[in-house]
């Protein structure tokens, strides 16, 4: 591998011990596999979250789904097809009233229980100190399986995530007239729209002798009626021309930290500290600056710029919500090859009644749609984990259309097909094809890459050098969890 080329380096920690669950409060019921990532490419992380992994700071973890007390399923929203619900529209109108007239809702927010940083599954972190020789990795040589030492360039191929067909049609760029387009016809009254939708549904039911058009082999083209208002229009309407309060959303890169990130660091941290104490009832000495840096600022993701990618590039960012010149909320996000992945949100408790958790999620969906215009494959919004067994975490299923990741075959399945199974049992396989399996199942452990004494080599070559080594079961477990493709690309550190 050429000096300075980007690569992913991890240390694997297994997952035998149980930890306290932040959802059901079971003291030893939370089980997950974990690894510390010293560096990671955005494509490798994209492939890992499409296998059920998720990061907190540089720690990457994967719940043991058939063992943990509250199974956590990766959920993604089809951002291009997203339509805000009535609840979402009310939240946007609430923000509009506050900005234009200063009206602060008297009732508290919708209790939006955004993922708790300190309670989530894998956040107990690594059990041992990470080795300094890989803190700033310098790979000096590559050892091939035959024993030759040669320089090799690792190429990261971008792949589209696997999904189960759902009849929704392909993701596509919104058509002209949908969105904040001055040439778009004026919106009709709600009563007329409901009547038009009923007519459209009736026409669909008539296709194929009463079979819904979405399940026929050749679906009929839906009648083009007046399109419902797009998300961007609702957001723009919530931002009045001459507001009493001014709201601005700024995107700042957190890794490597940009000058804007550094300049606003202390203000951002103070909001985080207030949030953790008021919303999650942390004692004042718990949300320290080092904890904030470790979990929400540090990231293993390498910054990557691409000609066909977003103008700001891929990697880790903070989306800061500035109200009248001060930070009131921050959304931590990762911009990846096919998605925007939400990591965490924190906000000033004084503005809790504005439902900033839901509002920021709507803005992040719109942000995804905006990036898709620059990078066509970037069309999904990942909301982290969906936990059906915890009622307060079901709100993520309201961002439709959305899919859940099958924990056995790693394909995405429309959430409406998954809910019936989850109503019956906490753990479920969503893929209904009994013959389907993991397409990236581990087939050849010897081809998995390891980093040993600053030299990259296949595990087969490492095993020959380390005769009598007893780590084969551990390496096989790791490689099985990341899959054959990632195992041949990610470097597993060996002491």
């Amino acid at each position: 591998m050429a000096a300075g080329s980007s690569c992913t380096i991890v240390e694997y920690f297994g997952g035998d011990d149980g930890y306290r669950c932040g959802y059901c409060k079971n003291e030893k019921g939370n089980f997950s596999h974990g690894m510390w990532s010293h560096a990671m490419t955005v494509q490798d992380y994209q492939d890992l979250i499409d296998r059920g992994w998720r990061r907190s700071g540089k720690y990457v973890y994967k719940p043991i789904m058939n063992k943990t007390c509250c199974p956590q399923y990766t959920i993604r929203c089809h951002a291009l097809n997203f339509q805000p619900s009535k609840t979402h529209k009310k939240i946007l109108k609430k923000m509009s009233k506050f900005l234009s007239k200063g009206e602060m809702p008297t009732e508290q927010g919708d209790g939006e229980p955004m993922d708790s940083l300190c309670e989530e599954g894998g956040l107990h972190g690594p059990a041992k100190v990470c080795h300094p020789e890989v803190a700033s990795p310098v790979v000096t040589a590559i050892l091939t399986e035959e024993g030759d030492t040669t320089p090799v360039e690792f190429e990261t191929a971008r792949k589209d995530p696997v999904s189960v067909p759902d009849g929704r049609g392909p993701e596509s760029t919104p058509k002209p007239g949908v969105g904040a387009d001055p040439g778009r016809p004026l919106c009709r009254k709600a009563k007329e729209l409901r009547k038009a939708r009923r007519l459209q549904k009736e026409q669909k039911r008539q296709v194929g002798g009463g079979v819904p058009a979405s399940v026929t082999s050749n679906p009929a083209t839906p009648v083009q009626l007046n399109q419902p208002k797009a998300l961007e229009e609702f957001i723009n309407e919530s931002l009045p021309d001459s507001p009493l309060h001014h709201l601005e959303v700024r995107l700042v890169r957190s890794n490597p930290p940009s000058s804007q990130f550094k300049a606003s660091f202390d203000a951002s941290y103070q909001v985080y500290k207030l949030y953790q104490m008021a919303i999650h009832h942390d004692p004042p000495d718990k949300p320290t600056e080092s904890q904030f840096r470790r979990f929400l600022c540090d990231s293993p993701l390498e910054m990557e710029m691409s000609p066909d990618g977003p103008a700001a590039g891929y990697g880790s960012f903070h989306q800061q919500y500035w109200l009248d010149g001060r930070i009131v909320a921050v959304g931590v996000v990762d911009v990846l090859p096919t998605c925007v992945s939400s990591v965490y949100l924190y906000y000033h408790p004084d503005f809790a009644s504005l439902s900033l958790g839901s509002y920021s999620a709507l803005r992040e969906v719109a942000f995804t749609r905006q990036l898709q215009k620059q990078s066509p494959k970037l069309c999904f919004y990942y909301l982290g984990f969906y936990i059906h067994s915890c009622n307060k975490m079901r709100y993520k299923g309201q961002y439709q259309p959305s899919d859940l990741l099958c924990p056995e075959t790693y394909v995405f399945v429309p959430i409406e097909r998954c809910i019936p199974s989850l109503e019956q049992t906490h753990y479920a396989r969503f893929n209904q094809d009994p013959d389907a399996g993991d397409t990236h199942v581990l087939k050849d452990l010897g081809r998995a890459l390891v980093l040993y004494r600053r030299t990259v080599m296949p595990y087969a070559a490492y095993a020959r050098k380390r005769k009598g080594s007893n780590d084969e079961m551990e390496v096989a477990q790791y490689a099985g969890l990341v899959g054959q493709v990632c195992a041949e690309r990610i470097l597993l550190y060996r002491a």
Side-chain angles (χ1 to χ4, degrees):
M1 182 164 48
S5 61
S6 187
C7 64
T8 298
I9 302 176
V10 301
E11 291 182 70
Y12 179 65
F13 296 111
D16 297 328
D17 299 327
Y19 294 84
R20 183 179 185 273
C21 176
Y23 304 108
C24 71
K25 310 307 179 185
N26 186 319
E27 289 298 328
K28 292 290 183 180
N30 187 2
F31 291 87
S32 65
H33 300 285
M35 55 189 182
W36 186 264
S37 178
H38 296 275
M40 184 169 287
T41 67
V42 291
Q43 184 61 57
D44 284 340
Y45 186 55
Q46 177 73 68
D47 291 346
L48 286 175
I49 64 173
D50 286 337
R51 292 183 66 83
W53 293 82
R54 179 164 161 78
R55 81 170 184 89
S56 175
K58 292 188 174 184
Y59 187 68
V60 188
Y61 63 99
K62 174 179 168 60
I64 304 177
M65 300 292 282
N66 58 359
K67 187 177 180 181
T68 193
C69 53
C70 296
Q72 302 162 55
Y73 299 90
T74 298
I75 181 171
R76 71 178 187 183
C77 169
H78 293 245
L80 300 188
N81 296 334
F82 173 79
Q83 283 294 326
S85 66
K86 287 184 178 179
T87 301
H88 295 148
K89 294 173 187 176
K90 287 180 180 178
I91 290 169
L92 292 171
K93 287 181 180 178
K94 183 162 55 174
M95 178 61 75
S96 177
K97 287 182 179 180
F98 169 72
L99 294 176
S100 59
K101 302 176 183 178
E103 293 182 10
M104 181 69 80
T106 54
E107 78 281 2
Q108 285 301 303
D110 47 18
E112 53 219 342
M114 303 305 286
D115 295 338
S116 171
L117 170 73
C118 301
E119 293 182 343
E120 270 203 355
L123 303 191
H124 44 272
K128 52 188 175 182
V129 177
C130 300
H131 302 277
E133 66 184 85
V134 288
S136 300
V138 178
V139 177
T140 57
I142 295 274
L143 183 65
T144 66
E145 196 164 350
E146 291 74 23
D148 300 326
T149 303
T150 54
V152 177
E153 278 286 351
F154 278 81
E155 293 186 0
T156 301
R158 290 187 184 161
K159 303 178 298 305
D160 296 324
V162 180
S163 61
V164 171
D166 61 357
R168 293 173 183 150
E171 297 286 343
S172 59
T173 304
K175 297 178 181 179
V178 181
D181 185 347
R184 181 180 179 276
L186 292 175
C187 184
R188 295 156 65 184
K189 291 183 179 181
K191 185 176 180 181
E192 295 179 27
L193 286 174
R194 288 196 294 271
K195 183 177 179 181
R197 291 193 195 105
R198 283 198 298 271
L199 175 62
Q200 189 176 15
K201 289 180 180 178
E202 183 61 31
Q203 290 173 332
K204 283 187 176 182
R205 279 196 291 270
Q206 293 173 2
V207 177
V211 180
S214 60
V215 297
T216 58
S217 57
N218 292 300
T221 303
V223 178
Q224 292 298 318
L225 300 172
N226 194 22
Q227 295 285 348
K229 289 167 68 174
L231 172 63
E232 290 78 3
E233 290 182 272
F234 286 107
I235 291 176
N236 289 337
E237 288 176 1
S238 73
L239 303 173
D241 293 332
S242 301
L244 183 64
H245 297 290
H246 179 71
L247 179 66
E248 180 186 1
V249 181
R250 302 178 188 174
L251 183 71
V252 298
R253 182 177 286 279
S254 56
N255 185 55
S258 65
S259 57
Q260 299 95 326
F261 178 84
K262 293 177 181 178
S264 59
F265 175 85
D266 187 64
S268 183
Y269 165 62
Q270 294 303 326
V271 173
Y272 164 77
K273 186 174 182 178
L274 290 172
Y275 173 82
Q276 290 298 128
M277 291 190 295
I279 307 301
H280 294 298
H281 311 295
D282 284 356
D285 61 340
K286 187 175 181 180
T288 62
E289 183 177 313
S290 61
Q291 184 214 47
F292 175 64
R293 284 185 184 276
R294 181 184 177 193
F295 289 121
L296 294 179
C297 302
D298 292 347
S299 169
L301 299 185
E302 301 285 333
M303 179 177 71
E304 181 181 326
M305 306 299 293
S306 175
D308 60 348
Y314 299 105
S316 298
F317 298 85
H318 282 197
Q319 259 194 336
Q320 301 174 337
Y321 293 78
W322 289 75
L323 180 68
D324 300 333
R326 67 165 177 155
I327 296 177
V328 295
V330 178
V332 182
V333 297
D334 293 328
V335 178
L336 304 174
T338 65
C339 76
V340 169
S341 175
S342 176
V343 178
Y344 198 62
L345 173 93
Y346 53 96
Y347 54 80
H348 197 294
D350 288 352
F351 300 93
S353 61
L354 290 174
S355 303
L356 291 174
S358 297
Y359 180 78
S360 66
L362 294 171
R363 294 295 299 253
E364 287 171 8
V365 173
F367 176 55
T368 306
R369 291 156 66 110
Q370 175 188 343
L371 294 184
Q372 192 273 340
K373 296 176 181 178
Q374 305 168 21
S375 182
K377 288 186 178 181
L378 204 164
C379 56
F380 296 105
Y381 174 57
Y382 283 52
L383 295 94
F385 287 137
Y386 174 83
I387 307 166
H388 193 77
S389 59
C390 181
N391 287 334
K392 70 176 185 177
M393 297 304 295
R394 294 185 182 183
Y395 75 95
K396 294 184 180 183
Q398 299 171 4
Y399 294 83
Q400 295 279 0
S402 58
D403 307 316
L404 297 184
L405 184 69
C406 176
E408 296 181 9
T409 61
Y410 301 114
V411 297
F412 282 96
V413 180
I415 192 171
E416 58 269 19
R417 297 190 193 176
C418 306
I419 297 301
S421 298
L422 294 176
E423 291 287 348
Q424 300 297 321
T425 177
H426 287 182
Y427 173 78
R429 171 192 168 108
F430 301 139
N431 193 334
Q432 297 302 307
D433 181 357
D435 298 323
D438 177 9
T439 56
H440 293 158
V441 65
L442 181 67
K443 295 179 180 179
D444 187 353
L445 179 61
R447 294 177 60 86
L449 291 183
V450 301
L451 177 62
Y452 178 59
R453 293 183 177 176
R454 298 192 183 276
T455 300
V456 176
M457 62 187 73
Y459 181 74
Y462 165 80
R464 287 196 299 269
K465 291 176 71 71
R466 291 286 307 272
K467 292 180 180 178
S469 175
N470 59 355
D471 65 354
E472 183 173 347
M473 288 184 61
E474 177 184 305
V475 176
Q477 183 183 63
Y478 149 81
L481 292 168
V482 303
Q484 185 74 46
V485 173
C486 282
E488 293 184 28
R489 210 166 56 206
I490 295 175
L491 310 183
L492 175 65
Y493 175 79
R494 297 284 85 191

